[in-house]
Amino acid sequence: AQSVTQLGSHVSVSEGALVLLRCNYSSSVPPYLFWYVQYPNQGLQLLLKYTSAATLVKGINGFEAEFKKSETSFHLTKPSAHMSDAAEYFCAVSGWGSNSGYALNFGKGTSLLVTP
Amino acid sequence: NAGVTQTPKFQVLKTGQSMTLQCAQDMNHNSMYWYRQDPGMGLRLIYYSASEGTTDKGEVPNGYNVSRLNKREFSLRLESAAPSQTSVYFCASSEKRGGLEQFFGPGTRLTVL
């Protein structure tokens, strides 16, 4: 079965500072990895995805993530935080060809706070 | 395109009442999913439908039933609501099994008193 662990349920950064949200995965098959963002009272929106092509994945709104197999990690970064980045971020994993390949397994989420 | 739509947006039920949450997608996706979101728990899969005519249990199916009415629509039914089912419910769809992103609806906020 595939699972992800997000380190830190709350992260606070200053506007203009580096954003780093951590995600580690566990998978018995080659994983597909995703980062989603949820703004207050809204649904989830895809930020970026890793599907075994380039290990450095660029997404929307200036976010990117690097797949590191040796560390089983898929951390999300952004060089300079904006106030509008304040939201809940979810890491998710799907395993191609596994029994659970139909659905995503989500981490518990990290709430990002951006301070002026 | 509207993407994934859900109705209603909000609902308050009394314990023991029943209701159906509706979901529809206009992207011609084969797979559809129902999740619930609770604080500090992330999203947990209730049921999914890999293709029209098939449904399977997810992580937390107890107390729920689903119907894949056609390729577009996937409904979630609570036969006898309980306070533990107070949650935000999200429907999602994807193009094919595994590997590709899911598209989410705006959610239904359900309170069971």
Side-chain angles (χ1 to χ4, degrees), chain B residues 55-67:
Chain B
T55 61
D56 283 289
K57 296 179 180 180
E59 180 184 356
V60 288
N62 291 345
Y64 305 95
N65 285 299
V66 292
S67 295

Side-chain angles (χ1 to χ4, degrees), chain B residues 62-102:
Chain B
N62 291 345
Y64 305 95
N65 285 299
V66 292
S67 295
R68 183 75 182 266
L69 304 172
N70 47 55
K71 192 172 186 179
R72 290 187 65 249
E73 299 173 287
F74 188 38
S75 64
L76 178 71
R77 182 161 179 84
L78 287 70
E79 291 291 351
S80 179
S84 60
Q85 295 178 304
T86 294
S87 187
V88 182
Y89 291 86
F90 288 100
C91 178
S93 69
S94 65
E95 188 171 298
K96 62 182 180 181
R97 54 185 289 183
L100 295 179
E101 69 264 31
Q102 294 181 11

Side-chain angles (χ1 to χ4, degrees), chain B residues 1 4 20 23 37-38 42-43 47-48 57 61 77 81 86 96:
Chain B
N1 290 344
V4 180
T20 299
C23 174
Q37 182 181 27
D38 302 292
L43 277 79
Y47 271 93
Y48 64 94
K57 296 179 180 180
R77 182 161 179 84
T86 294
K96 62 182 180 181

Side-chain angles (χ1 to χ4, degrees), chain A residues 29-114:
Chain A
V29 297
Y32 291 87
L33 293 158
F34 307 82
W35 276 100
Y36 282 85
V37 61
Q38 184 182 32
Y39 299 104
N41 299 314
Q42 295 188 25
L44 277 72
Q45 178 184 4
L46 181 70
L47 276 177
L48 49 81
K49 63 180 179 181
Y50 167 77
T51 56
S52 76
T55 57
L56 182 61
V57 181
K58 294 187 183 298
I60 63 171
N61 301 338
F63 285 94
E64 63 181 36
E66 186 173 8
F67 174 74
K68 291 187 177 180
K69 185 176 180 180
S70 61
E71 299 177 7
T72 62
S73 68
F74 190 58
H75 301 331
L76 182 70
T77 61
K78 182 175 180 178
S80 176
H82 294 168
M83 297 297 290
S84 60
D85 294 327
E88 188 88 13
Y89 291 80
F90 293 95
C91 182
V93 63
S94 173
W96 179 260
S98 70
N99 290 336
S100 61
Y102 293 96
L104 298 177
N105 290 325
F106 284 86
K108 296 186 176 183
T110 298
S111 179
L112 177 65
L113 175 66
V114 182

